[in-house]
Amino acid sequence: FTMELTTVDKEEVKTFASENTLEDRMTKLCSAWIGRLLCDKEIKSAMMLQAVGAPENAFGHRTGIHILLAGDPGTAKTLLLHAVSEILPGSRYIDASAATAAGVTASAEQIEDFYTGKTRWGLRPGIIALTPKDSVCSLDELNLYKGDLGDIHTALESGKITKTTGPVKGTLRADCSILAGANPMDGDNKKFIVGRPFTKQIGMSIPMLQRFDLIFVL
């Protein structure tokens, strides 16, 4: 995806930047994008910055920003996850509760070689690997995912998905940012229990949670 800016467009951008503080710019952009959704403005700002991404650097840090929205049902998490595709072309969404490991990470399959016509084993990428580097992959209901969270853990940490299944061993790139939504596992109607640490209620390990740059508890 490419976008061409005219001279007039560039002047409007410069004027917008010079006449507004960074905070005002973020507020106006977020309002124009998802002003209809009521939530903490810091969440909207974080999602906007996630869409922008981070620059490459000499230290090898990943450029993708990972965010987890953990909250009670009815707190607009799914709407926020869907909203990313409105602002960032190439972004993808999946309900992880109904997805298989093959759909989320990758699967080993026998694939026909287009050149020789012969069948051989190969890796078929899931939604994380299919999401472009500069886009966001939204994983809703992540706590209900029935596959191996270890594969997602690796994708969050290293930007790679490594599969060893039967005769297949391979690695796929997973450079995209990940925006995840999750509900608490216990409590009435799957709502957080006040006074109990959210890490005990979300159904994910501490190492897994540490791979997210930002966690918002709603």
Side-chain angles (χ1 to χ4, degrees):
F1 174 79
T2 58
M3 178 182 293
E4 294 185 3
L5 298 179
T6 65
T7 302
V8 175
D9 292 332
K10 294 177 181 179
E11 288 302 318
E12 288 182 350
V13 171
K14 290 180 180 179
T15 300
F16 178 74
S18 62
E19 293 182 353
N20 296 275
T21 64
L22 177 58
E23 183 175 359
D24 289 339
R25 276 178 266 163
M26 291 295 295
T27 299
K28 291 180 179 180
L29 289 173
C30 290
S31 178
W33 170 36
I34 47 176
R36 67 189 186 280
L37 299 179
L38 300 180
C39 68
D40 194 307
K41 67 177 183 179
E42 290 188 358
I43 296 177
K44 295 181 180 180
S45 297
M47 291 174 61
M48 175 68 74
L49 292 175
Q50 181 186 45
V52 172
E56 299 280 356
N57 60 72
F59 298 100
H61 296 306
R62 55 180 166 78
T63 59
I65 299 170
H66 304 316
I67 299 175
L68 172 63
L69 305 180
D72 296 344
T75 48
K77 298 186 300 298
T78 297
L79 293 176
L80 290 169
L81 266 63
H82 276 300
V84 173
S85 60
E86 299 176 8
I87 193 174
L88 202 59
S91 295
R92 297 168 184 261
Y93 169 93
I94 192 170
D95 184 342
S97 67
T100 63
V104 175
T105 54
S107 62
E109 298 182 10
Q110 286 190 309
I111 303 171
E112 181 180 348
D113 190 311
F114 292 116
Y115 295 101
T116 64
K118 296 181 179 180
T119 300
R120 60 175 182 170
W121 283 95
L123 283 180
R124 186 179 296 277
I127 193 170
I128 295 178
L130 289 172
T131 304
K133 179 179 179 180
D134 296 325
S135 298
V136 177
C137 180
S138 296
L139 304 177
D140 206 358
E141 305 286 357
L142 183 58
N143 59 297
L144 299 179
Y145 175 58
K146 297 177 177 61
D148 186 0
L149 280 175
D151 291 337
I152 299 179
H153 180 285
T154 303
L156 288 164
E157 179 182 24
S158 64
K160 298 178 182 178
I161 294 174
T162 301
K163 280 284 186 178
T164 302
T165 307
V168 179
K169 181 178 181 181
T171 300
L172 298 172
R173 298 299 298 267
D175 297 319
C176 64
S177 297
I178 292 180
L179 174 63
N183 294 329
M185 302 292 288
D186 303 317
D188 294 333
N189 299 317
K190 301 299 181 182
K191 291 185 177 181
F192 278 117
I193 301 173
V194 178
R196 185 179 177 190
F198 98 94
T199 54
K200 302 291 186 181
Q201 304 183 60
I202 204 64
M204 298 183 199
S205 66
I206 296 298
M208 177 75 176
L209 293 172
Q210 287 177 332
R211 296 301 173 261
F212 289 98
D213 302 290
L214 291 169
I215 297 177
F216 292 99
V217 180
L218 309 180

